[in-house]
Amino acid sequence: MKPFAILPLFCSLLLSAWTIQASDRPNIIFIFTDDHCEQALSAYDDSRITTPHMDRIANEGMKFNKCYVTNGICGPSRAVIQTGKYSHLNGFMTNGDNFNGDQQTFPKLLHTAGYQTAVIGKWHLKSTPQGYDYFDILQGQGPYYNPPMLYGGIEAKATKREHIGYTTDIIRDKALDWLKNERKDDTPFMLMFQHKAPHRNWQPGPKYLTWLDDETVAEPQTLFDNYENRASPAAKQTMEIKRHLTESDLKLKAPGNLTTEQRAAWDAAYKPKNEAYLAKRDSMTEKEIIQWKYQRYVKDYLRCVKSVDDAIGDVLAYLDEAGLAENTIVIYSSDQGWYLGEHGWFDKRWMYEESLKTPLLARWPGVIKPGSVNNDIVSNLDFAETFLDLAGVKVPGDMQGKSLVPIFKGETPADWRTSFYYHYYEFPGAHSVARHYGVTNGKHKLIEYYNLKPAESELFDIEKDPNEMISVHGKAEYAEIQKELEAELKRLREQYQLPPQDPPSRRELRMKEKGKNNKNKGKGKGQPKEAEKKKAA
Ligand code: CA
């Protein structure tokens, strides 16, 4: 045979190899929000809101009922997702830390494997993203309106850009623009589409400023919790709707960074409501004031969620239009759960169910059975491993989670985890939640407040007491369960290589360094500690 005669055969072989490869390497869109809890996602709980587009992912894919985060706070959760490692190993233990982007991360590995990688929206890891062909990110928390953002990539220097508009919509537009104009047709991609919303202080977009005005949102059973029958930290936090929401949180004060037009719409929505409240506030009981604050807070939170849901709907619609839906895995999650008034709280941080759990939905046409529900214990610790496995990239041995791909296929491995280790470090810090670690098997939960003197513990029977109102630690009838969980906690701390003492966070190291310098300058002892305290307050 002459050489040119085999050319068509060669080309056709090459083409079929490419086709197989393309479908073997699906696209990944990771949709991520900040502080979005299951209580405000109707696939989980439809008592307060309907989220049809998030629900669509659940209906066409899989809903996870037990997705636990390893450290329930923004930055640390993101660092766990980047690295597949617990906080003590990735070095980002509190929001005061700064992510060491030089370490191994899943986007770097995907990029090396030929994936086009992008992150758009909230980043919140302080250091410049590495491993992304493109990033376009909020700076720090970023505002709800008119955000400055930083764009760049592996081959482009980070550049600041100003924007006018509602941040959720801007992030959606950027994600759509990237999918339409920057995405390469011949390369699989991984896009992280990450929202600021519904993070504090819950500023709704123009479309939803008055939505729910005429409704009363259901109150949680534990809105008036008195924190009895538990260890001391629950009563000592500073995240109560009753005492700790500010005038800005409650929109008694308007945001400062609105354009004239945005401000006019804002005032038209909030001024009449505020005037009505202020006119009757003096005659209201304490309980009525808490109820008013709850309604104001929860409605603003739900309004923010509604805009995110709309944005997700637009992206899903584009995937359909562009013929991308079939070969694109869509995963929805949040960096941790949240208190919508449970225990009288806003915020997160605790190992209690509402903040330990985060929503997790996944759609993978042709692989995940539509409408499936999973009750295995999974975690944000597993996300990096899952993304790599989806792309056919070997999961590095030092990552600590497990790929969810077998679970997507309906085949939970026989040795899948049946218990979970949690560890929260940010004390002293915002909202004054004591450091704690613990273990849960989904039925019972042991929490150790190890830094208190003396240390305190809690044990909950989650099936009997789902709101975690009564600790049964030390009770004779739970002695056996307590012993088992104590042993399991010890085993997990060894498995995950926890040191006996918390390692200093990068922030603590910085403070220590600062203290040394101050001492050298003769400015006196103890100053860094005081400065730290003030910042935390
Ligand atoms: Ca968060």
Side-chain angles (χ1 to χ4, degrees), residues 63-83:
K63 176 177 82 169
F64 289 82
N65 280 331
K66 285 184 190 144
C67 182
Y68 298 152
V69 295
T70 62
N71 179 2
I73 183 167
C74 309
S77 173
R78 287 153 205 268
V80 168
I81 292 170
Q82 288 288 312
T83 60

PDB file of all heavy atoms in Angstrom, residues 63-83:
ATOM      1  N   LYS A  63     -29.121  14.433  44.581  1.00  0.00           N
ATOM      2  CA  LYS A  63     -29.099  15.309  45.754  1.00  0.00           C
ATOM      3  C   LYS A  63     -28.411  14.561  46.889  1.00  0.00           C
ATOM      4  O   LYS A  63     -28.765  13.415  47.173  1.00  0.00           O
ATOM      5  CB  LYS A  63     -30.533  15.668  46.148  1.00  0.00           C
ATOM      6  CG  LYS A  63     -30.631  16.486  47.415  1.00  0.00           C
ATOM      7  CD  LYS A  63     -32.061  16.895  47.732  1.00  0.00           C
ATOM      8  CE  LYS A  63     -32.819  15.768  48.424  1.00  0.00           C
ATOM      9  NZ  LYS A  63     -34.112  16.219  48.981  1.00  0.00           N
ATOM     10  N   PHE A  64     -27.446  15.206  47.520  1.00  0.00           N
ATOM     11  CA  PHE A  64     -26.742  14.597  48.652  1.00  0.00           C
ATOM     12  C   PHE A  64     -27.312  15.158  49.950  1.00  0.00           C
ATOM     13  O   PHE A  64     -27.347  16.370  50.129  1.00  0.00           O
ATOM     14  CB  PHE A  64     -25.243  14.898  48.563  1.00  0.00           C
ATOM     15  CG  PHE A  64     -24.551  14.164  47.451  1.00  0.00           C
ATOM     16  CD1 PHE A  64     -24.584  14.652  46.149  1.00  0.00           C
ATOM     17  CD2 PHE A  64     -23.892  12.971  47.706  1.00  0.00           C
ATOM     18  CE1 PHE A  64     -23.954  13.962  45.118  1.00  0.00           C
ATOM     19  CE2 PHE A  64     -23.253  12.271  46.678  1.00  0.00           C
ATOM     20  CZ  PHE A  64     -23.281  12.771  45.388  1.00  0.00           C
ATOM     21  N   ASN A  65     -27.723  14.283  50.844  1.00  0.00           N
ATOM     22  CA  ASN A  65     -28.313  14.739  52.111  1.00  0.00           C
ATOM     23  C   ASN A  65     -27.304  14.912  53.227  1.00  0.00           C
ATOM     24  O   ASN A  65     -27.600  15.522  54.240  1.00  0.00           O
ATOM     25  CB  ASN A  65     -29.397  13.750  52.578  1.00  0.00           C
ATOM     26  CG  ASN A  65     -30.694  13.979  51.830  1.00  0.00           C
ATOM     27  OD1 ASN A  65     -30.991  15.097  51.399  1.00  0.00           O
ATOM     28  ND2 ASN A  65     -31.474  12.929  51.663  1.00  0.00           N
ATOM     29  N   LYS A  66     -26.123  14.320  53.048  1.00  0.00           N
ATOM     30  CA  LYS A  66     -25.130  14.446  54.124  1.00  0.00           C
ATOM     31  C   LYS A  66     -23.793  14.879  53.554  1.00  0.00           C
ATOM     32  O   LYS A  66     -22.819  14.129  53.568  1.00  0.00           O
ATOM     33  CB  LYS A  66     -24.975  13.123  54.875  1.00  0.00           C
ATOM     34  CG  LYS A  66     -26.135  12.838  55.813  1.00  0.00           C
ATOM     35  CD  LYS A  66     -25.898  11.577  56.612  1.00  0.00           C
ATOM     36  CE  LYS A  66     -27.173  11.194  57.355  1.00  0.00           C
ATOM     37  NZ  LYS A  66     -27.332   9.735  57.415  1.00  0.00           N
ATOM     38  N   CYS A  67     -23.751  16.104  53.030  1.00  0.00           N
ATOM     39  CA  CYS A  67     -22.459  16.659  52.618  1.00  0.00           C
ATOM     40  C   CYS A  67     -21.977  17.565  53.745  1.00  0.00           C
ATOM     41  O   CYS A  67     -22.583  18.599  54.026  1.00  0.00           O
ATOM     42  CB  CYS A  67     -22.581  17.446  51.313  1.00  0.00           C
ATOM     43  SG  CYS A  67     -20.973  18.083  50.774  1.00  0.00           S
ATOM     44  N   TYR A  68     -20.915  17.155  54.426  1.00  0.00           N
ATOM     45  CA  TYR A  68     -20.394  17.885  55.582  1.00  0.00           C
ATOM     46  C   TYR A  68     -19.129  18.643  55.187  1.00  0.00           C
ATOM     47  O   TYR A  68     -18.317  18.141  54.407  1.00  0.00           O
ATOM     48  CB  TYR A  68     -20.019  16.914  56.705  1.00  0.00           C
ATOM     49  CG  TYR A  68     -21.159  16.086  57.264  1.00  0.00           C
ATOM     50  CD1 TYR A  68     -20.900  14.825  57.808  1.00  0.00           C
ATOM     51  CD2 TYR A  68     -22.478  16.545  57.282  1.00  0.00           C
ATOM     52  CE1 TYR A  68     -21.921  14.044  58.354  1.00  0.00           C
ATOM     53  CE2 TYR A  68     -23.503  15.776  57.829  1.00  0.00           C
ATOM     54  CZ  TYR A  68     -23.220  14.520  58.360  1.00  0.00           C
ATOM     55  OH  TYR A  68     -24.221  13.753  58.901  1.00  0.00           O
ATOM     56  N   VAL A  69     -18.963  19.832  55.750  1.00  0.00           N
ATOM     57  CA  VAL A  69     -17.714  20.564  55.521  1.00  0.00           C
ATOM     58  C   VAL A  69     -16.749  20.292  56.682  1.00  0.00           C
ATOM     59  O   VAL A  69     -17.182  20.026  57.798  1.00  0.00           O
ATOM     60  CB  VAL A  69     -17.938  22.086  55.352  1.00  0.00           C
ATOM     61  CG1 VAL A  69     -18.745  22.362  54.094  1.00  0.00           C
ATOM     62  CG2 VAL A  69     -18.624  22.697  56.564  1.00  0.00           C
ATOM     63  N   THR A  70     -15.460  20.382  56.401  1.00  0.00           N
ATOM     64  CA  THR A  70     -14.463  20.022  57.418  1.00  0.00           C
ATOM     65  C   THR A  70     -14.204  21.148  58.411  1.00  0.00           C
ATOM     66  O   THR A  70     -13.715  20.906  59.507  1.00  0.00           O
ATOM     67  CB  THR A  70     -13.110  19.682  56.762  1.00  0.00           C
ATOM     68  OG1 THR A  70     -12.634  20.856  56.082  1.00  0.00           O
ATOM     69  CG2 THR A  70     -13.246  18.542  55.760  1.00  0.00           C
ATOM     70  N   ASN A  71     -14.513  22.403  57.992  1.00  0.00           N
ATOM     71  CA  ASN A  71     -14.208  23.588  58.813  1.00  0.00           C
ATOM     72  C   ASN A  71     -15.141  24.670  58.283  1.00  0.00           C
ATOM     73  O   ASN A  71     -14.890  25.225  57.221  1.00  0.00           O
ATOM     74  CB  ASN A  71     -12.722  23.952  58.623  1.00  0.00           C
ATOM     75  CG  ASN A  71     -12.273  25.174  59.409  1.00  0.00           C
ATOM     76  OD1 ASN A  71     -13.044  25.777  60.162  1.00  0.00           O
ATOM     77  ND2 ASN A  71     -11.012  25.544  59.224  1.00  0.00           N
ATOM     78  N   GLY A  72     -16.248  24.917  59.018  1.00  0.00           N
ATOM     79  CA  GLY A  72     -17.378  25.644  58.453  1.00  0.00           C
ATOM     80  C   GLY A  72     -17.231  27.141  58.357  1.00  0.00           C
ATOM     81  O   GLY A  72     -17.982  27.888  58.986  1.00  0.00           O
ATOM     82  N   ILE A  73     -16.335  27.586  57.525  1.00  0.00           N
ATOM     83  CA  ILE A  73     -16.141  29.016  57.311  1.00  0.00           C
ATOM     84  C   ILE A  73     -15.523  29.233  55.931  1.00  0.00           C
ATOM     85  O   ILE A  73     -14.860  28.339  55.401  1.00  0.00           O
ATOM     86  CB  ILE A  73     -15.307  29.617  58.473  1.00  0.00           C
ATOM     87  CG1 ILE A  73     -15.145  31.111  58.318  1.00  0.00           C
ATOM     88  CG2 ILE A  73     -13.990  28.907  58.614  1.00  0.00           C
ATOM     89  CD1 ILE A  73     -14.615  31.780  59.557  1.00  0.00           C
ATOM     90  N   CYS A  74     -15.766  30.442  55.392  1.00  0.00           N
ATOM     91  CA  CYS A  74     -15.556  30.701  53.958  1.00  0.00           C
ATOM     92  C   CYS A  74     -14.191  30.291  53.398  1.00  0.00           C
ATOM     93  O   CYS A  74     -14.091  29.373  52.596  1.00  0.00           O
ATOM     94  CB  CYS A  74     -15.777  32.176  53.667  1.00  0.00           C
ATOM     95  SG  CYS A  74     -17.329  32.814  54.299  1.00  0.00           S
ATOM     96  N   GLY A  75     -13.141  31.041  53.766  1.00  0.00           N
ATOM     97  CA  GLY A  75     -11.816  30.819  53.178  1.00  0.00           C
ATOM     98  C   GLY A  75     -11.339  29.393  53.385  1.00  0.00           C
ATOM     99  O   GLY A  75     -10.933  28.711  52.428  1.00  0.00           O
ATOM    100  N   PRO A  76     -11.362  28.903  54.633  1.00  0.00           N
ATOM    101  CA  PRO A  76     -10.906  27.532  54.867  1.00  0.00           C
ATOM    102  C   PRO A  76     -11.641  26.493  54.004  1.00  0.00           C
ATOM    103  O   PRO A  76     -11.010  25.564  53.498  1.00  0.00           O
ATOM    104  CB  PRO A  76     -11.191  27.326  56.354  1.00  0.00           C
ATOM    105  CG  PRO A  76     -10.987  28.691  56.938  1.00  0.00           C
ATOM    106  CD  PRO A  76     -11.566  29.636  55.909  1.00  0.00           C
ATOM    107  N   SER A  77     -12.946  26.653  53.805  1.00  0.00           N
ATOM    108  CA  SER A  77     -13.674  25.684  52.973  1.00  0.00           C
ATOM    109  C   SER A  77     -13.142  25.705  51.544  1.00  0.00           C
ATOM    110  O   SER A  77     -12.967  24.662  50.908  1.00  0.00           O
ATOM    111  CB  SER A  77     -15.168  26.013  52.985  1.00  0.00           C
ATOM    112  OG  SER A  77     -15.845  25.186  52.068  1.00  0.00           O
ATOM    113  N   ARG A  78     -12.863  26.906  51.047  1.00  0.00           N
ATOM    114  CA  ARG A  78     -12.350  27.034  49.682  1.00  0.00           C
ATOM    115  C   ARG A  78     -10.965  26.405  49.546  1.00  0.00           C
ATOM    116  O   ARG A  78     -10.639  25.796  48.517  1.00  0.00           O
ATOM    117  CB  ARG A  78     -12.296  28.520  49.292  1.00  0.00           C
ATOM    118  CG  ARG A  78     -13.685  29.070  49.055  1.00  0.00           C
ATOM    119  CD  ARG A  78     -13.780  30.567  49.314  1.00  0.00           C
ATOM    120  NE  ARG A  78     -15.158  30.884  49.636  1.00  0.00           N
ATOM    121  CZ  ARG A  78     -16.082  31.250  48.752  1.00  0.00           C
ATOM    122  NH1 ARG A  78     -15.751  31.426  47.490  1.00  0.00           N
ATOM    123  NH2 ARG A  78     -17.324  31.467  49.115  1.00  0.00           N
ATOM    124  N   ALA A  79     -10.143  26.564  50.597  1.00  0.00           N
ATOM    125  CA  ALA A  79      -8.794  25.981  50.556  1.00  0.00           C
ATOM    126  C   ALA A  79      -8.871  24.453  50.566  1.00  0.00           C
ATOM    127  O   ALA A  79      -8.083  23.779  49.894  1.00  0.00           O
ATOM    128  CB  ALA A  79      -7.979  26.490  51.742  1.00  0.00           C
ATOM    129  N   VAL A  80      -9.828  23.909  51.306  1.00  0.00           N
ATOM    130  CA  VAL A  80     -10.027  22.456  51.322  1.00  0.00           C
ATOM    131  C   VAL A  80     -10.409  21.981  49.919  1.00  0.00           C
ATOM    132  O   VAL A  80      -9.903  20.971  49.425  1.00  0.00           O
ATOM    133  CB  VAL A  80     -11.126  22.074  52.353  1.00  0.00           C
ATOM    134  CG1 VAL A  80     -11.551  20.621  52.181  1.00  0.00           C
ATOM    135  CG2 VAL A  80     -10.627  22.310  53.768  1.00  0.00           C
ATOM    136  N   ILE A  81     -11.272  22.741  49.258  1.00  0.00           N
ATOM    137  CA  ILE A  81     -11.712  22.352  47.914  1.00  0.00           C
ATOM    138  C   ILE A  81     -10.547  22.420  46.919  1.00  0.00           C
ATOM    139  O   ILE A  81     -10.392  21.558  46.062  1.00  0.00           O
ATOM    140  CB  ILE A  81     -12.908  23.226  47.475  1.00  0.00           C
ATOM    141  CG1 ILE A  81     -14.131  22.886  48.338  1.00  0.00           C
ATOM    142  CG2 ILE A  81     -13.214  23.033  45.984  1.00  0.00           C
ATOM    143  CD1 ILE A  81     -15.304  23.823  48.177  1.00  0.00           C
ATOM    144  N   GLN A  82      -9.714  23.432  47.033  1.00  0.00           N
ATOM    145  CA  GLN A  82      -8.567  23.552  46.135  1.00  0.00           C
ATOM    146  C   GLN A  82      -7.597  22.376  46.290  1.00  0.00           C
ATOM    147  O   GLN A  82      -7.023  21.914  45.315  1.00  0.00           O
ATOM    148  CB  GLN A  82      -7.787  24.859  46.427  1.00  0.00           C
ATOM    149  CG  GLN A  82      -8.490  26.126  45.983  1.00  0.00           C
ATOM    150  CD  GLN A  82      -8.513  26.290  44.473  1.00  0.00           C
ATOM    151  OE1 GLN A  82      -7.499  26.141  43.802  1.00  0.00           O
ATOM    152  NE2 GLN A  82      -9.679  26.579  43.935  1.00  0.00           N
ATOM    153  N   THR A  83      -7.419  21.929  47.548  1.00  0.00           N
ATOM    154  CA  THR A  83      -6.318  20.998  47.836  1.00  0.00           C
ATOM    155  C   THR A  83      -6.750  19.559  48.120  1.00  0.00           C
ATOM    156  O   THR A  83      -5.912  18.659  48.086  1.00  0.00           O
ATOM    157  CB  THR A  83      -5.535  21.479  49.081  1.00  0.00           C
ATOM    158  OG1 THR A  83      -6.447  21.523  50.198  1.00  0.00           O
ATOM    159  CG2 THR A  83      -4.936  22.858  48.869  1.00  0.00           C
TER     160      THR A  83
END
